[in-house]
Amino acid sequence: MPRVLDAYESMSVDEAIGMCRDLVEDPDFPTVKAWRDAGGKVVGHFQVYFPEEIVHAAGMLPFKVRGAPVEARQGESHFGSYLCSILKTSLELALSGRVTLDMFVSHPICDSARNLAAVFGRNFDYPCEILYLPQNANSAHASTYLRGEYARLTREVEAIAGRSITTEQLRASLGVFNENRRLLRELYEIKRDTPWLLSVDKAYCLVAVGGMIPREEHNQLLAWAIPQIRKGSATPQDRMRLVFAGGFCEQPPLDLLHTIAQFSYVVDDDLLIGLRWITQDIPVGEDPLGDMAEAYLESSSYSPVQHDLRKPKEQMLLEQIKAANAGAAIITAAKMCEPGLDEVVAYTKALDDESIPYFVSEFEERMTNFDSLQIQLETFIENLLFA
Amino acid sequence: MSSTSQLVHDAPAEKRAASIIGRGNKEGNRLFREWYQELTTAPERKEHSAYVFVMGSLAEIMRSFDIHTIFPEVNGLQQAVRHVADDYIATAEDYGFSADVCGYVKADVGLQLRGGDHPMGKIPPPSLSVYTNACNTYIKWAEIWERMYHIPTFTLDVPGTRAAGRLTWPGQVDFENDRNYVAGQINEVIQLCEQVTGKRFDIDKLRQAMSYTNTMSRKWKRLLELNKSSPAVYNAVTDGTVFLGMMNGYRGRPEGAKYFTDLVEEMEYKAANGIGTPFEEKYRLAFVGVPCYPIFRRFSEMFTEWGGSFVGSSYLWFASGGANLGYEYDLDHPLESLAEGLLVTVRDSMDSMFFSDKNLIDMIEPYGIDGVVYHPVKSCRTVSTGLADNRRAVMEATDVATLFMESDHMDKRVVSEAQLKNRVDAFFEGLATRKHRRASTGAPQARA
């Protein structure tokens, strides 16, 4: 397949990040279009985690469906009032023809997302289904079940691709995605260790573009960009180190992240956590599906949409803050996001108990005015710095 | 004929009618109060209680360990219909919960923060919580109890239907994968109950509870079928809520089996004698969503005043835990059958929320449906997210009239009675026009 990214090798790293930003904010998803124009097939998978390796191994493009800052002119009429924006804009992208899919998959991450496959299924002829990732991560039977569920998904994907997926192809895809996850971990190390070199919004652009281009290209981009970011000339400033929570599904506007970056160093976050869900290399063994299932359960991050008794979310947040040497947290939830809003209560009480300062806010992907947020955030941070 | 007084012609028949008609609601209310009294006094007897939910309560396993089942959704419903939910919700919001979080959750948080004081009794704290994933909020809800009470919680994960109409069945590889997963988890739940109660698992007690559930399921299915009668023999929204309370609270108990046996007898009697609800039936309606409990009586009257009779409801499908299938366990293989039954019925509950358009389309003719009323609620995204799109599908496939109106089942701040009434009135005016037009053109009428 042809390369979908424009040549960036002769650009400065900031110019390349600017290119990524344009792609991330472009609701027409030109890279996905380019892939299709070249004859490729596309599997859209809704937030949060999806075993993209399976789609990749079939030679198709896994496309992370995460809404877009667009007006849901058609999508709105398919939903009621009290729902998050990402549902409506994700459907809008498909209804408006901005993206054309060959398959759509959602997950039981929340009550709304589970409905999304049914809504898509009533409106499109291509297969639309729910991938039932296990919701009992603590059962001794979860891994075996998930391996079977991945096998089922593999058969579905094979039918769309029109060819079978060999074990060797799966192993090769695991290698590509292991490399991708390693590079993303490296990117986050830069944010954590030298946050003046990489702001949260710039890092986000570099991560998010991975959900809309072939992963090999993403690997090349990151491998090219990371050394240059490390060589950056920015110097440390006296800024508060923060952890941002609440970006696991609907994404905050880039301008919101930029606003935060103006006053602080975001040293860790849960933005697009699905792309970074697996925290270690997945062993490339004899049974790739089994290895992937095991990794989903045993070598994974945390989010408000996964219940795992081993990972109480407020405890995980505290550990995250500690590991990132952060002094405060920004706790957010997308408007109408039930799991996110539930977690705000648990997070803030745990932070209170530990006397860790925090700033609470809601956001919507389509919000455009950040003046009020900027003033509040600035006040919050000044209070901390001058306390 | 639609009223009882018109039917009775002789003394013995009159006596029989008097003893049967209305028995279900009367007995339901009595047993329901008894049930709450049992819960209230359980701690005095040092009995364990489990917080469970209506879609996959695992009541049969709980019964086998003598663990009481407490349904926070039922508690919430009672708080709303008794007009006290807003106080509890306010307590939860003061605690930190957003106005946009499910009202059931907040009513329960308020209840817990008030030490279990509930208008129907005193709700004991849980010894454990066991729930399925039929609603994701169940899982988030249980996390709140984990934090409040530090109790064991168990998510019994039941994989649902992957795409509309793509059901799998025994013998198919994907069904067996799901069933093995559910079966494995059932064993884990049993081990957990042994740890919590200190009792050994008794398979015969489980078998006995499953036997009672079998009767209840069989009768529940029959109950739903009986409302094909014209006039409808019960109101699927108001009477149906009483029946749902009994189906959940008394699942796996002898009182439940007897109640539904008697209830079906009552409804069969009414059907045989052309006895309907106390209101004249002019239009036969299906209800989709969750009723508006903060103004429950008035909500119902908005329809009955126009002669609207709810003959069916998706609520009676999913909130009964899929009892509408009439699934009966194989008592010779209780554990295996429990796994299969849980998978099939909880899956059906989920289908009744996510993929219910097909079922609604299929019920229009046999139930003589004139209109479908969609009532998505702010609180419950599980039920409500897909309803606007569902309505579009139903309207595309049929020429049935539909009404779409949003409010809430708990939070009266989201309920505008005047707006609802305007929508309902306009809907019935449209139905009347349709009926008149069809009568004048000789087009086929719905049965009502």
Side-chain angles (χ1 to χ4, degrees), chain B residues 201-386:
Chain B
F201 171 57
D202 182 342
I203 199 163
D204 290 324
K205 282 184 84 168
L206 175 70
R207 190 181 280 115
Q208 182 66 71
M210 291 168 73
S211 158
Y212 295 133
T213 297
N214 278 353
T215 302
M216 295 171 76
S217 297
R218 191 166 58 246
K219 299 296 181 184
W220 186 265
K221 186 181 181 194
R222 175 70 181 139
L223 187 66
L224 301 193
E225 289 167 354
L226 278 166
N227 241 11
K228 290 177 185 167
S229 299
S230 183
V233 291
Y234 59 89
N235 183 317
V237 171
T238 50
D239 301 324
T241 299
V242 176
F243 306 158
L244 276 172
M246 288 299 300
M247 171 51 82
N248 287 297
Y250 281 89
R251 187 181 172 104
R253 291 177 57 160
E255 302 95 322
K258 180 177 187 316
Y259 174 81
F260 281 101
T261 302
D262 291 349
L263 182 63
V264 165
E265 182 190 39
E266 175 188 341
M267 297 306 162
E268 283 181 334
Y269 178 85
K270 290 176 77 172
N273 290 282
I275 306 171
T277 63
F279 307 97
E280 186 186 4
E281 179 176 294
K282 292 182 182 168
Y283 305 102
R284 295 170 64 82
L285 307 173
F287 182 83
V288 187
V290 183
C292 184
Y293 291 124
I295 55 164
F296 194 31
R297 177 179 296 189
R298 186 68 199 116
F299 183 73
S300 170
E301 286 170 354
M302 287 179 197
F303 296 91
T304 55
E305 283 167 352
W306 282 91
S309 174
F310 286 110
V311 304
S313 159
S314 68
Y315 198 36
L316 298 183
W317 302 337
F318 61 80
S320 69
N324 48 299
L325 293 178
Y327 184 90
E328 295 187 45
Y329 300 115
D330 175 359
L331 301 180
D332 291 332
H333 304 93
L335 285 175
E336 296 86 343
S337 184
L338 187 60
E340 181 179 294
L342 260 175
L343 175 55
V344 168
T345 56
V346 174
R347 184 177 76 178
D348 188 78
S349 289
M350 294 190 260
D351 288 352
S352 296
M353 298 183 291
F354 310 145
F355 305 115
S356 65
D357 48 312
K358 174 75 167 57
N359 287 353
L360 288 165
I361 291 164
D362 287 347
M363 81 182 290
I364 284 168
E365 195 277 326
Y367 282 81
I369 304 287
D370 298 303
V372 181
V373 176
Y374 288 89
H375 183 243
V377 291
K378 178 183 178 184
S379 280
C380 185
R381 277 108 186 168
T382 318
V383 171
S384 307
T385 297

Side-chain angles (χ1 to χ4, degrees), chain B residues 3-23:
Chain B
S3 92
T4 57
S5 60
Q6 291 172 292
L7 300 174
V8 187
H9 303 297
D10 57 61
E14 191 173 344
K15 197 172 172 187
R16 178 145 196 255
S19 69
I20 287 184
I21 297 168
R23 185 174 63 190

Side-chain angles (χ1 to χ4, degrees), chain A residues 78 81 111 114 135 155 343, chain B residues 133 136 140 157 389 406:
Chain A
H78 292 257
S81 305
D111 300 323
R114 296 170 80 176
Q135 292 181 278
R155 294 194 299 274
E343 222 55 64
Chain B
N133 57 317
N136 276 60
K140 301 303 293 179
D157 186 10
D389 189 71
E406 294 179 284

Side-chain angles (χ1 to χ4, degrees), chain A residues 161-177:
Chain A
R163 69 170 173 83
S164 59
I165 299 171
T166 66
T167 300
E168 207 43 56
Q169 286 165 336
L170 266 177
R171 288 155 56 96
S173 294
L174 273 177
V176 171
F177 280 78

Side-chain angles (χ1 to χ4, degrees), chain A residues 77-83 87 108-112 114-115 118-119 122-123 128-130 132-136 139-142 144-145 148-149 152 155-156 304 306-307 309 313-314 336 338-339 341-343 345-346 349 362, chain B residues 95-98 100-102 131 133-137 139-140 143 146-147 153-155 157 159-163 166 173-174 177-178 181 184-185 188 350 353-355 357 378-379 381-382 385-386 388-390 392-393 406 414:
Chain A
S77 65
H78 292 257
F79 294 104
S81 305
Y82 304 109
L83 299 167
L87 285 183
I109 55 165
C110 72
D111 300 323
S112 302
R114 296 170 80 176
N115 273 281
V119 173
R122 285 192 285 263
N123 288 280
C128 302
E129 66 169 58
I130 303 172
Y132 268 92
L133 295 167
Q135 292 181 278
N136 183 354
S139 170
H141 307 275
T144 304
Y145 158 75
E149 179 68 350
R152 184 193 65 75
R155 294 194 299 274
E156 305 281 342
Q306 194 208 35
H307 179 72
L309 295 168
K313 285 166 272 292
E314 62 274 35
M336 300 292 171
E338 182 118 22
L341 291 167
D342 284 336
E343 222 55 64
V345 182
K349 295 211 177 297
E362 288 186 24
Chain B
Y95 186 74
F97 283 90
S98 161
D100 297 324
V101 163
C102 169
Y131 46 90
N133 57 317
C135 165
N136 276 60
T137 298
I139 302 171
K140 301 303 293 179
E143 287 177 351
E146 274 174 27
R147 291 166 183 136
T153 61
F154 192 99
T155 312
D157 186 10
T161 303
R162 273 50 171 204
R166 279 208 354 229
V173 63
D174 294 329
N177 189 49
D178 293 351
Y181 181 37
Q185 292 176 89
E188 291 171 337
M350 294 190 260
M353 298 183 291
F354 310 145
F355 305 115
D357 48 312
K378 178 183 178 184
S379 280
R381 277 108 186 168
T382 318
T385 297
D389 189 71
N390 180 313
R392 294 170 70 110
E406 294 179 284
V414 191

